[in-house]
């Protein structure tokens, strides 16, 4: 398939620059690919489309202050963007200006933190080794900045609005944004209504947001991302599938985790691993029956994933409808609830 087949026109003013308040007052487009229907609701109406016995799977990762500003020994300014931890002191990173940062370069972020470039990555980044005294996470909290996507031009008054209310596991370079719509109260209401809540972890890195730079999408390679599935979540999924209820992924990171760990149509593997799974039209889903997601960038792997789930033509039709109805797009934008195109009641 061609990259150009996943393009659409989006007026810049529809790119949400700030989160809506309260979180669940965003709009919700409800798609049924089997019936080819589109409904317009609000996120607080989500329970209308869920059934007792359904299971929602959330990605409980927490965004770290992944952006560090430092200086080379020459005094030149350098930006380090943390992507993936390799061990206690070593990270894969993106570096600006990349061309001028060669192996052996030393960068200082103040008296308590510095790093040395020890290698290159296959995606044009750098592997760096940090030197510090104390607890790295505490130093990062003091010196680092929570990164926002480049299409968001306004600074957040409260950085916690770029975190889900259920975040637990530090490690992401970007938020699993479908989860930003949930409030604690709404999650409790869903649970009280008989909907199950399960959690997995996928630390969002370059694999999720790296642009596709090849015209034939099958040639695109995802970057490896860490994920983990606890025993209790695997058991919950297995029980849900056996009784004929639905497993509903909250976000594309949750769906990639579940599909990467699928053992068969009823179960997923327990434990930690990493994945480079790339889901695009033609993929046969094993675990996930419905999806909650935001509206994604043109030509992105995330748009390809939802196109695989609901059908490319139907998704692009829905995006045109969203533009016409003035939905808000991307990280702080509105949401979609989509059933699998291969499923019917």
């Amino acid at each position: 398939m061609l990259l150009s087949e996943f393009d659409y026109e989006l007026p810049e003013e529809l790119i949400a620059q700030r989160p809506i308040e309260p979180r669940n007052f965003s709009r919700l487009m409800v798609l049924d690919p089997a019936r080819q229907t589109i409904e317009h609701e609000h996120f607080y109406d989500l329970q209308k489309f869920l059934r007792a016995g359904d299971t929602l799977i959330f990605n409980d990762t927490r965004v770290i202050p992944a952006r560090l500003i430092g200086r080379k020994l020459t005094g030149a300014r350098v930006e380090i963007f943390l992507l993936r931890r390799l061990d206690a002191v070593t990270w894969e990173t993106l570096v600006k200006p990349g061309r001028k940062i060669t192996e052996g370069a030393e960068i200082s972020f103040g008296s308590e933190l510095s790093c040395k470039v020890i290698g290159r990555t296959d995606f044009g980044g750098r592997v760096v080794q940090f030197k510090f005294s104390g607890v790295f996470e505490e130093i990062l909290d003091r010196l680092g900045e929570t990164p926002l996507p480049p299409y968001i031009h306004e600074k957040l008054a409260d950085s916690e609005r770029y975190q889900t209310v259920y975040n637990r596991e530090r490690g992401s370079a970007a938020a699993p944004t479908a989860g930003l719509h949930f409030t604690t109260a709404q999650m409790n209401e869903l649970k009280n209504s008989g909907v199950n809540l399960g959690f997995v972890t996928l630390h969002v890195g370059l694999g999720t947001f790296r642009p596709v730079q090849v015209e034939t999408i099958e040639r695109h390679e995802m970057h490896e991302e860490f994920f983990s599935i606890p025993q209790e979540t695997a058991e919950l999924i297995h029980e849900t599938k056996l009784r004929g209820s639905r497993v509903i992924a909250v976000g594309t990171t949750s769906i990639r985790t579940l599909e990467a760990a699928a053992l068969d149509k009823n179960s997923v593997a327990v434990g930690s691993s990493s994945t480079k799974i790339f889901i695009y039209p033609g993929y046969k889903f094993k675990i996930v029956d419905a999806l909650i997601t935001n509206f994604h960038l043109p030509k992105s792997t995330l748009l390809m994933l939802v196109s695989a789930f609901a059908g490319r033509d139907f998704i692009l039709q829905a995006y045109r409808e969203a533009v016409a109805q003035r939905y808000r797009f991307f990280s702080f934008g509105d949401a979609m609830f989509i059933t699998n195109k291969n499923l019917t009641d």
Side-chain angles (χ1 to χ4, degrees):
M1 302 187 76
L2 299 179
L3 182 60
S4 56
E5 296 179 64
F6 297 91
D7 199 7
Y8 67 92
E9 291 187 16
L10 178 67
E12 189 173 350
E13 67 268 20
L14 296 185
I15 300 174
Q17 293 297 311
R18 64 185 70 86
I20 200 164
E21 296 292 348
R23 288 176 181 254
N24 63 349
F25 272 55
S26 54
R27 295 170 74 185
L28 180 69
M29 178 180 279
V30 182
L31 304 184
D32 185 333
R35 296 182 176 86
Q36 295 283 289
T37 58
I38 299 174
E39 299 176 63
H40 303 286
E41 303 283 353
H42 286 87
F43 202 83
Y44 51 69
D45 296 314
L46 177 64
Q47 190 169 330
K48 291 165 52 176
F49 305 97
L50 304 179
R51 312 163 190 154
D54 283 345
T55 293
L56 291 174
I57 300 295
F58 299 86
N59 180 7
D60 65 3
T61 190
R62 178 174 176 81
V63 184
I64 61 173
R67 186 170 177 260
L68 288 164
I69 305 299
R71 299 279 176 181
K72 292 175 64 178
L73 297 179
T74 60
R77 183 181 184 274
V78 180
E79 178 180 321
I80 299 282
F81 189 81
L82 305 179
L83 285 176
R84 188 164 72 105
R85 193 173 202 158
L86 302 179
D87 60 36
V89 296
T90 310
W91 285 76
E92 287 184 344
T93 69
L94 293 175
V95 179
K96 291 183 182 178
R99 283 181 295 179
K100 296 185 178 180
I101 308 301
T102 57
E103 194 167 334
E106 295 183 18
I107 302 159
S108 173
F109 307 97
S111 59
E112 55 185 338
L113 182 67
S114 63
C115 74
K116 183 176 183 179
V117 178
I118 61 171
R120 292 174 174 263
T121 68
D122 59 2
F123 54 84
R126 300 292 185 271
V127 179
V128 305
Q129 200 167 69
F130 283 99
K131 185 178 180 181
F132 53 91
S133 3
V135 179
F136 181 77
E137 287 75 13
E138 293 177 358
I139 295 170
L140 193 61
D141 284 341
R142 288 194 293 274
L143 300 182
E145 299 176 13
T146 300
L148 291 176
Y151 49 77
I152 294 176
H153 307 301
E154 297 186 16
K155 198 161 187 178
L156 272 182
D158 177 10
S159 62
E160 284 300 305
R161 279 304 274 110
Y162 193 57
Q163 306 279 6
T164 63
V165 297
Y166 50 82
N167 73 83
R168 292 187 290 208
E169 303 293 335
R170 292 173 58 109
S172 275
T177 54
L180 296 179
H181 303 281
F182 284 89
T183 65
T184 302
Q186 185 174 24
M187 292 175 73
N188 289 334
E189 288 168 8
L190 291 172
K191 194 172 182 180
N192 292 335
S193 72
V195 174
N196 304 297
L197 312 182
F199 297 89
V200 298
T201 302
L202 182 139
H203 291 323
V204 184
L206 193 62
T208 296
F209 58 83
R210 182 186 190 186
V212 179
Q213 296 177 322
V214 291
E215 184 55 29
T216 304
I217 67 167
E218 291 86 348
R219 295 175 54 206
H220 177 72
E221 277 196 40
M222 299 288 282
H223 185 244
E224 200 166 68
E225 293 170 309
F226 169 89
F227 74 86
S228 179
I229 300 178
Q231 180 76 39
E232 60 190 275
T233 299
E235 290 175 356
L236 180 59
I237 289 168
H238 189 64
E239 293 163 2
T240 302
K241 300 296 279 190
L242 289 184
R243 68 171 171 262
S245 295
R246 297 179 299 175
V247 171
I248 301 167
V250 178
T252 56
T253 58
S254 294
I255 204 171
R256 291 179 64 237
T257 300
L258 297 179
E259 293 297 315
L263 298 173
D264 53 43
K265 291 192 175 182
N266 294 321
S267 56
V268 296
V270 174
S272 301
S273 187
S274 57
T275 181
K276 298 173 76 171
I277 189 170
F278 178 24
I279 297 175
Y280 54 88
Y283 179 85
K284 302 298 182 187
F285 291 86
K286 303 174 185 70
I287 298 294
V288 179
D289 304 304
L291 171 65
I292 296 167
T293 189
N294 281 18
F295 292 88
H296 303 295
L297 276 72
K299 299 183 178 181
S300 64
T301 61
L302 305 182
L303 181 57
M304 294 168 196
L305 186 154
V306 296
S307 295
F309 199 75
R312 185 188 70 92
D313 291 345
F314 186 51
I315 283 293
L316 292 179
Q317 175 191 340
Y319 272 54
R320 289 191 294 270
E321 174 77 4
V323 169
Q325 295 292 330
R326 310 295 289 177
Y327 274 69
R328 301 162 72 248
F329 278 67
F330 306 160
S331 295
F332 289 143
D334 296 314
M336 310 175 92
F337 178 80
I338 315 171
T339 55
N340 192 314
K341 63 184 174 67
N342 297 317
L343 298 173
T344 56
D345 285 339

